[in-house]
Each structure stands twice: as C-alpha cells, then as structure tokens.
C-alpha cells in the first residue's frame, strides 16, 4: 500500500509494511522531480517486490513539457534497500502511448511485475489497446496487445483473478461483465474469455475488486457494497454503505509480521 501526497512535499509518500504491523516508512522526495518543477507532472504508478534482490520498489511516472520542446516522459524507481531514486527513460516504450491515470483500475501488480492498460495510436485506426508490463527484477518492459479499439464504447478494468491478470470489459451504458484472463505475457492470442455476466442495472461501474472465491465486489446504485457471484450471477449485499463520494477498493494480501527493514533477515 502507498499513500501519495504531492511532488512539492518534503516527504513524497509513505509505505506501510502491512496491515498486520501498522508500520510506516517515509520515502524521500525524488531529486529529478525537484529539478523539473514547475513544468512537471509527477504521479505514483506502482509498488511491488523485487524477489531477485529482496527489495521493495516504488514506481512513479514523470512527464514535463517546456514551451519550445516536446513533452518528455520517464519512470523513476525508488529502491528501499538503497534508499534512492533512479531514472529509466521511457520515450521508446511510450511513443504514441496514452499512459493511464492512477487509481482508475487500469493497473495491477502480480508475480513481481507491474502492469498497465495503455492506448497506443496506430496508422490504420484510432488506437490499439495493450497491456504494458514492467518486471521489477529485470527492469524490462513487455507489451501484450489486446486488440484495436471497438467503435462501440467500452469501459475496461484490470484485476487479478486466481493469480492471473484479468481484463473486465463492460458496455458504457449497460453493466455486462466480460471477463478474460491472460495465459502468457507477450502473447496476444493467449487471452481466454471466462465469463460474460449481466446485465446488472442496479450496480455501478467500475467493480471494486475480486475476492478469493472469484466474486466481483461492486458498489450498488444506492452506494451499498455488494458482491456478484459469477456462477449464479446473484448479487449479495455486504451490509456496508460506501457513500456517494467514498472511494472503495477491495484487495488481497498475504499476512506477514516482517518489517520492511527486516525483509532480508
């Protein structure tokens, strides 16, 4: 979990080690972000574990634009072990790509890599939808095409379902869940459609997470939280009301009493 504040603060963000220990560690401001103000957009975009080096890493996306120069973008990576930031140039990776806004359900972390749903402009159509993956150990990018954008407007959402990357699509004006999982990174043909569920006129888009049993957690139109059983397509209430302006997300975590500072011990 990461709690971002802003690029102008002395302590850019803090990481709690886990809900079990309730321990926080402050991360220093990025030196690159400090040099590029005020033409700077600095956005948190990922957090995960580098199992090769037994290290936790934070990713943030930096873009800036000087009036006489084109926009430049790159990733910054913070290493907990070295307590420092490094810059990775992304110009070739993000050429003609639309990088998603954070916390909109278009990014996930699974198996030591961060994944983002991006739109890339192509010559013979409006854009191509792809999964952009970044391995936190090798620090290399991999793109998995999903397909050209349909003329019919869709909503899309990334999630993790039983350890696999799942893509949830729905019509803009009607909640019909179309759920596919990815079999192999880099292979566009390995997307497997699992479910088509709905329609659900009483719930809101987007879903707020998956449970261990494969349930989709959602917010109803009356802002009460519920889950959809994919097998029966029955909506079950949880008994909690989120509120109109409340942001809710459901996530799974593995219990651990280790602190970040003692991860290698």
């Amino acid at each position: 979990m990461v709690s971002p504040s802003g690029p102008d603060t002395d302590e850019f963000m803090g990481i709690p080690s886990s809900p079990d220990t309730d321990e926080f560690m402050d991360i220093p401001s990025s030196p690159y972000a400090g040099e590029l103000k005020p033409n700077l957009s600095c956005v948190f975009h990922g957090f995960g574990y580098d199992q090769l080096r037994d290290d936790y890493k934070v990713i943030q996306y930096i873009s800036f634009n000087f009036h006489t120069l084109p926009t430049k973008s790159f990733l910054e990576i913070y290493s907990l072990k070295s307590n420092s930031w490094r810059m990775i140039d992304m110009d070739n990776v993000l050429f003609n790509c639309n990088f998603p806004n954070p916390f909109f359900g278009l990014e996930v972390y699974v198996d030591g890599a961060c994944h983002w749903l991006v739109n890339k402009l192509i010559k013979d159509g409006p854009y191509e939808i792809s999964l952009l993956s970044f391995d936190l150990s090798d620090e290399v990018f991999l793109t998995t095409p999903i397909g050209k954008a349909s003329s019919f407007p869709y909503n899309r959402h990334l999630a993790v379902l039983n350890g696999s990357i799942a893509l949830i699509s729905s019509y803009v004006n009607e909640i019909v869940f179309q759920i596919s999982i990815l079999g192999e990174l880099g292979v566009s043909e390995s997307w497997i459609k699992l479910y088509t569920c709905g329609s659900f006129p009483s719930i809101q888009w987007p879903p707020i997470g998956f449970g261990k049993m494969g349930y989709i957690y959602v917010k109803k139109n009356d802002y009460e939280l519920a889950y959809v059983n994919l097998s029966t397509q029955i909506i079950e209430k949880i008994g909690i009301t989120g509120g109109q302006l409340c942001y809710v997300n459901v996530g799974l975590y593995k219990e651990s009493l280790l602190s970040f500072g003692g991860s290698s011990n």
Side-chain angles (χ1 to χ4, degrees):
M1 246 188 286
V2 176
S3 301
S5 51
D8 296 325
T9 60
D10 292 333
E11 294 175 352
F12 177 61
M13 58 182 76
I15 300 181
S17 61
S18 80
D20 299 301
T21 63
D22 197 27
E23 177 185 355
F24 282 78
M25 180 173 182
D26 293 323
I27 295 179
S29 298
S30 156
Y32 308 106
E35 294 173 358
L36 298 175
K37 293 182 291 188
N39 303 294
L40 171 73
S41 173
C42 177
V43 183
F44 162 75
H45 258 299
F47 169 64
Y49 178 64
D50 176 355
Q51 57 185 355
L52 184 64
R53 299 171 183 81
D54 187 28
D55 192 11
Y56 288 93
K57 294 180 177 178
V58 175
I59 299 174
Q60 65 182 9
Y61 174 67
I62 304 291
S63 63
F64 64 98
N65 186 18
F66 296 103
H67 297 298
T68 57
L69 296 175
T71 299
K72 181 176 179 62
S73 58
F74 55 88
L75 279 184
E76 285 186 310
I77 298 181
Y78 170 81
S79 164
L80 181 65
K81 182 167 287 188
S82 66
N83 191 31
S84 62
W85 290 92
R86 291 183 291 109
M87 182 176 65
I88 294 183
D89 197 306
M90 296 186 65
D91 280 354
N92 293 331
V93 176
L94 287 184
F95 182 71
N96 286 338
C97 274
N98 179 17
F99 210 72
N101 292 323
F103 310 116
F104 276 72
L106 300 177
E107 53 192 18
V108 295
Y109 165 82
V110 63
D111 292 337
C114 293
H115 311 271
W116 303 277
L117 201 63
V118 299
N119 297 330
K120 185 172 183 178
L121 296 175
I122 54 178
K123 294 181 179 179
D124 56 346
Y127 56 85
E128 184 177 69
I129 304 168
S130 297
L131 184 74
L132 178 65
S133 304
F134 181 74
D135 189 289
L136 290 171
S137 296
D138 298 336
E139 296 190 356
V140 295
F141 292 95
L142 182 64
T143 301
T144 308
I146 295 175
K148 296 180 181 179
S150 169
S151 59
F152 195 89
Y154 279 90
N155 290 315
R156 293 179 176 85
H157 187 83
L158 281 183
V160 179
L161 176 60
N162 295 331
S164 298
I165 299 172
L167 174 65
I168 309 173
S169 302
S170 176
Y171 305 121
V172 169
N173 298 320
E174 182 182 9
I175 305 300
V176 177
F177 292 130
Q178 301 177 44
I179 304 173
S180 300
I181 62 169
L182 180 62
E184 182 180 352
L185 284 175
V187 182
S188 61
E189 295 80 8
S190 67
W191 285 101
I192 303 170
K193 182 174 287 188
L194 291 184
Y195 299 99
T196 297
C197 303
S199 69
F200 300 106
S202 65
I203 66 177
Q204 301 180 24
W205 181 269
I208 60 176
F210 273 111
K212 289 183 178 180
M213 302 300 293
Y215 299 153
I216 302 181
Y217 288 87
V218 297
K219 186 188 293 186
K220 299 186 66 181
N221 290 335
D222 60 3
Y223 309 112
E224 187 172 5
L225 303 188
Y227 64 86
V228 179
N229 186 319
L230 294 178
S231 298
T232 64
Q233 301 193 28
I234 295 176
I235 301 175
E236 299 285 349
K237 296 180 180 180
I238 298 176
I240 301 174
T241 300
Q244 183 176 3
L245 300 179
C246 180
Y247 177 81
V248 182
N249 192 27
V250 173
L252 301 176
Y253 78 97
K254 293 183 179 180
E255 185 176 3
S256 174
L257 296 178
L258 290 175
S259 67
F260 275 117
S263 64
S264 60
N265 296 324

